[in-house]
Amino acid sequence: MNNLPGPQQSLPATRAPHGTPGLWTTPIRGRVAVAALGWVLVYIVGAVVVVVLGMLAVREWGGGRPPAAPLALAVLAGTAVAALAAVRTHLLRRRRLRWADLGLRRPDRSPLHLLWQIPAVMGTGMVASMFVLLPLAPAGETGDDAASEALDDLVSGGPAYVVLGLVTVAVLVPVVEEIVFRGIVLPALRARYRAAVGIMLAGGVFAVVHFVPPALPYLLVVGISLCAMAEWYRSIVPGIVLHGVNNAVVFTGVVVGAAAL
């Protein structure tokens, strides 16, 4: 008898058959997703530790306290690169996957839909924030001192700081967050729950892990919308574009506001 494995048996053990619950043909679910997210967290914490140790070394060598803006940019860029390294090392290479398995693939629908989706998502988020936060906001509330210091340093650092900040916030961060939240978290939840429940849960996770309570309504709308878009396009590429435009608009508005003070 011929005991050679059949066509389905010859597939890698981590590959899921076509048509299984999810967004695209993806094995990223269950223990695979949990392990990948665990490594992402480990790498992010490691990047933060490296930045903090570097800051302490600079102070120890008489360099004084580094400006808040470069420190914030170093943390953002460092954690983003660390997350990508974790995904590539402990998910793609270990499971013999491709970036397309995380949704970095050609959209099934025309990206021209972004022309109405981007303003619709951002406008809905702003309306949600107004209805939820404005009645609760105490009069005369001030911003965080650390954030204000970072913005002041960013503006005073000149165009170079602003451009670096814009590239980090509007390009690097959206790519990483879409890979993690829409490429790993969303498919894992969609493999377990129906589309609506999985999208809501994944969008909620995205909003909560930002740890910015005042922005929670806006982030919830954006997170759910990005998950729905990933489902609709069967790709995270349009979501990266929307995410980047949103971050660029917010970043530019904050920087312009800080410069005007």
Side-chain angles (χ1 to χ4, degrees):
M1 293 293 293
N2 185 1
N3 294 324
L4 292 176
Q8 291 185 344
Q9 291 174 305
S10 63
L11 291 173
T14 55
R15 291 232 177 237
H18 184 72
T20 53
L23 308 173
W24 38 81
T25 304
T26 173
I28 302 171
R29 62 195 67 197
R31 293 181 179 179
V32 174
V34 172
L37 293 174
W39 280 113
V40 168
L41 182 59
V42 169
Y43 273 53
I44 287 176
V45 171
V48 173
V49 169
V50 169
V51 172
V52 171
L53 291 178
M55 179 185 67
L56 294 176
V58 169
R59 293 182 63 179
E60 185 68 22
W61 292 337
R65 181 182 177 185
L71 181 60
L73 289 177
V75 170
L76 274 178
T79 53
V81 172
L84 283 179
V87 171
R88 187 177 187 279
T89 302
H90 298 282
L91 180 59
L92 300 186
R93 292 180 62 182
R94 179 169 296 182
R95 302 289 175 176
R96 298 180 181 178
L97 304 177
R98 303 166 301 161
W99 290 106
D101 292 311
L102 300 177
L104 283 170
R105 58 189 299 275
R106 184 175 180 177
D108 283 2
R109 301 176 187 267
S110 172
L112 291 177
H113 289 287
L114 288 170
L115 294 176
W116 66 266
Q117 289 170 342
I118 290 175
V121 171
M122 295 179 64
T124 303
M126 293 174 63
V127 171
S129 296
M130 291 171 59
F131 274 103
V132 174
L133 295 179
L134 286 183
L136 303 176
E141 184 178 9
T142 59
D144 182 73
D145 291 339
S148 299
E149 181 183 351
L151 283 173
D152 291 340
D153 287 343
L154 190 68
V155 173
S156 62
Y161 272 2
V162 174
V163 171
L164 285 174
L166 183 61
V167 170
T168 301
V169 170
V171 179
L172 185 57
V173 169
V175 170
V176 174
E177 289 192 345
E178 291 308 304
I179 288 174
V180 172
F181 291 104
R182 255 61 65 178
I184 299 176
V185 175
L186 176 60
L189 291 172
R190 280 288 285 110
R192 187 175 181 85
Y193 302 102
R194 294 179 179 271
V197 176
I199 287 172
M200 295 289 288
L201 288 175
V205 171
F206 171 79
V208 170
V209 300
H210 279 76
F211 302 109
V212 186
L216 188 59
Y218 188 90
L219 290 170
L220 187 60
V221 169
V222 172
I224 292 174
S225 299
L226 289 170
C227 291
M229 287 172 59
E231 182 91 18
W232 195 66
Y233 283 105
R234 289 180 60 83
S235 168
I236 67 171
V237 174
I240 291 174
V241 176
L242 187 151
H243 200 152
V245 171
N246 174 81
N247 286 10
V249 170
V250 173
F251 179 84
T252 302
V254 170
V255 169
V256 170
L261 295 178

